[in-house]
Amino acid sequence: MTSKKIVIRSCLLLALSGFLATPSYAIEVPKDPRGTEIAQSVVKWEWASVPGAVTYEVSIDGSYKGITRDPQYYSRDLWPGDHSMRVRAIDANGNYSSSTATVKIVVNSRFNPSSLARSVVVGGSSSSSTSSSNSATVSTTPVAASASSSFQAPQSPRGSETGNGGVKWEWNAVSGASRYEVTVDGAVAGETSNLQYSSSNLWVGEHSMTVKAIDASGNKSVQSDTVKINVTGAASSSTSTAQNDAVSSAGLAPAPVQGDQNAASVQSLIDPASYNYPEVTQKDGYELVFSDEFNGTALNPYRWHSQLRWDGEFNGERYEYRVINGEDQFYVNVLSPDSEHQNDIVPVYNPFQFDGSTLSIRAAKNPLKNHSNKKTYGSLDEISTQQTFLSGALSTHEKFSQKYGYFEARIKIPSHVGTFPAFWLFHENRAWEGTQRTEIDIMENLGHAPWYIYNSFHYFKNVTATYSGDANFIKPQPSGQVYTGIDYSQDYHVYAVEWTQGKVVWYIDGEKMSEMYNSEADFEELYLMLNLAMGGNWTNFPTNSGGLGRASNERYPNANDLNEFANPALEIDYVRVYKRK
């Protein structure tokens, strides 16, 4: 079986070196290339996925920009004016399709979310028309009439998920209306004479809808309020919320995907699928001792806990849940032994989503939130109903830990204000068992700044059963803040540490970024953790510490943050751990 990782790396190396193989056009050209201005100086380019494609090569403004596995690419810091995009599909054998037609978009000097610029195909019909309050829109009349201020906008727009990517949109009747124009995700979707419209094949995540009434003379009302819905991909009771609502329904997990149905039942710390990838056995001087390729449809409980060790532990006669670092998420523990958690939390939302090749830990607004207490610990009911978001965490506590070795994960971080993804190692021993509370942070990031990756080392001296210890925080050299000019949210990257006696070296995509010499790193075994936190103290730090730098009364998440929330995900291709032979 050809390695998905080898293919992607090969494509990147070819592109970066400026050498491209002689193209073979056996693979189809991507269809429906398009672009949408989604923020100030930011364009989201998209196209239809191509059967057999493993990656896509993207060119912006006539120049090669990168390789992506997803049928989308983000351009940032664009100047006002014309920009263009073309894309080619690449199959597992490195064959390229011919290029798509060029699509162009005019980026505005000032972003207006109610008037999103959309691309047009050069020399052809538009992929979607430029949307503005004064522009022509798709209509059954020859010329779209201007909005009539005396014509009432439809009231109470709403949506309900019908399953498998479908949404039923509805609204109240408008006196004098003969039909209605429906806009979904910023583009005109169609017209109907009914009080409802159905969308199908929507991706998992947030979608929006507005509607205008049209009378017999072709006069249009102003548009309705925007409503949003979080599509889960499964038949559920997920319903829409008004755009200014603080919380939207999270719904259930996505529908099952194609993948190895037996992967979760394999009782081995090494995923058998790992040996399908040649690079696994080619790490000089090392042998594989732990891995998960996430090619299945569920978490493997032999390898993972779906919680942080200190959250949801049994404490006397109850399970106690904790909030750390002022964070705003509640972790859904799908593998929890707590029947109350299984009955009351897990059916509401599953943050662990599989596509047969990768795992996404996706955050959602918490539909259980009904108060704004700031307790740092408490019962399941107290904490689950105060946190703003639901998210997920993985750990190998009491399942796998190791002193020294090579630890790596191939990850795609989200670019989203408020996210705090991390891949880290943590101490197995408790205070009474002898510990320095050792922590090696392999990768940390704040989502508003996806160009920065943080490496660090923590330990505590003089820890006892009654004293948490004296904290020590070590930044590796040359800096704990890694900046290479790359937006790490644009693609997957391999984050790793090589931990040997008295030394820790941090890598990104095999290139050394930081190193530290310190014998305190030798104290104890560590286990793995990956999680997607939301908000927290660090997110709100001053900008010179990496944070948002907001005033104290604008702490994340404020009302605008909640309005702009778009279900970010930490995507994980694989996790692998090696030890010296």
Side-chain angles (χ1 to χ4, degrees):
M1 178 176 176
T2 303
S3 166
K4 55 183 175 180
K5 288 79 184 179
I6 289 292
V7 169
I8 293 164
R9 290 171 180 163
S10 297
C11 294
L12 281 168
L13 289 172
L14 286 171
L16 290 173
S17 66
F19 171 80
L20 294 176
T22 302
S24 169
Y25 299 151
I27 188 169
E28 293 180 11
V29 180
K31 294 181 174 60
D32 192 24
R34 58 201 183 276
T36 306
E37 183 185 23
I38 62 170
Q40 184 67 52
S41 305
V42 180
V43 168
K44 179 182 181 181
W45 305 101
E46 299 174 274
W47 52 90
S49 59
V50 175
V54 294
T55 53
Y56 301 90
E57 178 197 78
V58 181
S59 295
I60 306 296
D61 295 331
S63 300
Y64 166 83
K65 283 300 180 182
I67 300 288
T68 175
R69 296 199 321 164
D70 301 321
Q72 62 183 29
Y73 187 87
Y74 290 84
S75 293
R76 292 176 169 82
D77 301 321
L78 297 175
W79 64 86
D82 283 1
H83 293 271
S84 64
M85 186 276 294
R86 295 192 302 171
V87 60
R88 297 198 295 174
I90 309 171
D91 68 16
N93 296 317
N95 296 316
Y96 287 71
S97 74
S98 57
S99 181
T100 61
T102 300
V103 291
K104 295 186 71 174
I105 191 170
V106 178
V107 172
N108 295 308
S109 58
R110 184 172 182 179
F111 177 68
N112 182 353
S114 65
S115 179
L116 300 180
R118 298 183 183 279
S119 62
V120 296
V121 177
V122 176
S125 59
S126 64
S127 56
S128 55
S129 60
T130 300
S131 172
S132 74
S133 58
N134 299 316
S135 67
T137 53
V138 177
S139 174
T140 56
T141 56
V143 178
S146 60
S148 170
S149 59
S150 61
F151 199 32
Q152 182 184 11
Q155 301 297 304
S156 189
R158 54 203 181 273
S160 58
E161 188 174 5
T162 57
N164 298 319
V167 170
K168 179 181 179 182
W169 308 102
E170 299 175 278
W171 52 90
N172 293 348
V174 174
S175 177
S178 62
R179 62 189 189 277
Y180 301 87
E181 179 188 86
V182 180
T183 297
V184 177
D185 294 332
V188 174
E191 293 184 2
T192 176
S193 58
N194 300 317
L195 297 177
Q196 61 184 48
Y197 184 89
S198 293
S199 296
S200 60
N201 299 319
L202 297 177
W203 65 85
V204 171
E206 192 169 78
H207 294 267
S208 64
M209 187 275 292
T210 61
V211 59
K212 295 179 181 179
I214 308 174
D215 67 15
S217 300
N219 297 311
K220 295 183 181 180
S221 72
V222 295
Q223 72 179 22
S224 69
D225 291 336
T226 300
V227 291
K228 293 183 177 180
I229 187 171
N230 183 45
V231 171
T232 66
S236 73
S237 58
S238 178
T239 57
S240 63
T241 62
Q243 188 171 359
N244 60 357
D245 280 356
V247 178
S248 66
S249 299
L252 300 175
V257 297
Q258 294 298 317
D260 184 354
Q261 300 293 324
N262 300 313
S265 62
V266 175
Q267 295 191 14
S268 171
L269 291 175
I270 298 177
D271 187 338
S274 295
Y275 295 113
N276 292 331
Y277 308 116
E279 72 268 30
V280 168
T281 57
Q282 295 173 358
K283 192 169 294 296
D284 188 37
Y286 282 102
E287 63 177 317
L288 189 70
V289 291
F290 178 94
S291 69
D292 203 321
E293 303 296 329
F294 301 112
N295 293 343
T297 58
L299 292 175
N300 185 319
Y302 190 83
R303 301 179 195 128
W304 301 105
H305 288 294
S306 54
Q307 69 174 92
L308 302 183
R309 184 179 73 186
W310 52 84
D311 182 29
E313 290 186 332
F314 193 73
N315 181 5
E317 297 181 354
R318 60 183 169 81
Y319 283 85
E320 182 176 86
Y321 292 82
R322 305 184 187 183
V323 176
I324 62 169
N325 303 324
E327 293 166 7
D328 295 284
Q329 81 288 331
F330 181 84
Y331 288 124
V332 180
N333 185 0
V334 297
L335 301 177
S336 176
D338 177 10
S339 59
E340 184 181 11
H341 193 122
Q342 286 288 347
N343 293 335
D344 297 346
I345 309 298
V346 174
V348 173
Y349 182 69
N350 185 346
F352 303 103
Q353 301 175 1
F354 292 80
D355 66 4
S357 179
T358 61
L359 163 66
S360 294
I361 302 177
R362 189 175 299 278
K365 292 179 185 176
N366 182 8
L368 302 173
K369 179 175 172 128
N370 58 26
H371 62 89
S372 297
N373 293 345
K374 295 297 181 183
K375 297 190 68 172
T376 57
Y377 68 91
S379 67
L380 175 66
D381 180 67
E382 291 172 312
I383 303 303
S384 66
T385 56
Q386 79 171 28
Q387 296 297 92
T388 308
F389 305 101
L390 299 177
S391 191
L394 293 177
S395 80
T396 63
H397 166 58
E398 293 182 338
K399 295 179 183 291
F400 172 80
S401 61
Q402 182 171 285
K403 184 177 179 179
Y404 309 137
Y406 194 91
F407 304 75
E408 69 175 7
R410 189 168 184 270
I411 292 169
K412 184 178 181 182
I413 63 173
S415 175
H416 191 293
V417 173
T419 56
F420 177 15
F423 171 39
W424 45 314
L425 307 179
F426 202 62
H427 62 97
E428 187 72 81
N429 286 351
R430 308 295 183 96
W432 59 88
E433 296 172 323
T435 183
Q436 288 192 168
R437 298 175 59 194
T438 308
E439 176 182 334
I440 298 175
D441 296 317
I442 302 174
M443 183 285 298
E444 292 183 298
N445 168 260
L446 297 178
H448 66 273
W451 309 273
Y452 295 94
I453 300 297
Y454 293 88
N455 308 148
S456 61
F457 173 66
H458 304 257
Y459 69 98
F460 292 73
K461 299 294 286 187
N462 306 314
V463 177
T464 69
T466 57
Y467 178 58
S468 60
D470 305 315
N472 291 269
F473 170 59
I474 307 297
K475 289 184 179 180
Q477 296 298 320
S479 170
Q481 184 186 61
V482 175
Y483 176 80
T484 63
I486 295 173
D487 180 345
Y488 288 99
S489 70
Q490 288 294 304
D491 207 343
Y492 285 83
H493 296 275
V494 179
Y495 301 93
V497 293
E498 186 173 28
W499 174 21
T500 55
Q501 187 171 359
K503 182 181 180 181
V504 181
V505 181
W506 284 258
Y507 297 89
I508 300 179
D509 295 329
E511 181 179 352
K512 183 168 73 173
M513 295 293 162
S514 313
E515 64 181 354
M516 178 198 73
Y517 292 86
N518 194 314
S519 61
E520 299 293 353
D522 301 335
F523 189 84
E524 57 195 316
E525 289 188 352
L526 306 179
Y527 65 89
L528 296 96
M529 291 201 286
L530 299 102
N531 62 291
L532 178 59
M534 295 297 301
N537 300 330
W538 187 17
T539 296
N540 294 281
F541 276 176
T543 52
N544 62 4
S545 298
L548 289 166
R550 295 178 178 175
S552 59
N553 63 348
E554 284 295 302
R555 181 184 172 91
Y556 182 88
N558 61 28
N560 185 64
D561 295 324
L562 293 169
N563 184 48
E564 297 298 321
F565 182 76
N567 300 94
L570 171 63
E571 301 172 56
I572 309 166
D573 187 8
Y574 63 75
V575 177
R576 298 171 187 160
V577 182
Y578 301 81
K579 71 176 182 179
R580 281 286 182 187
K581 292 181 179 178

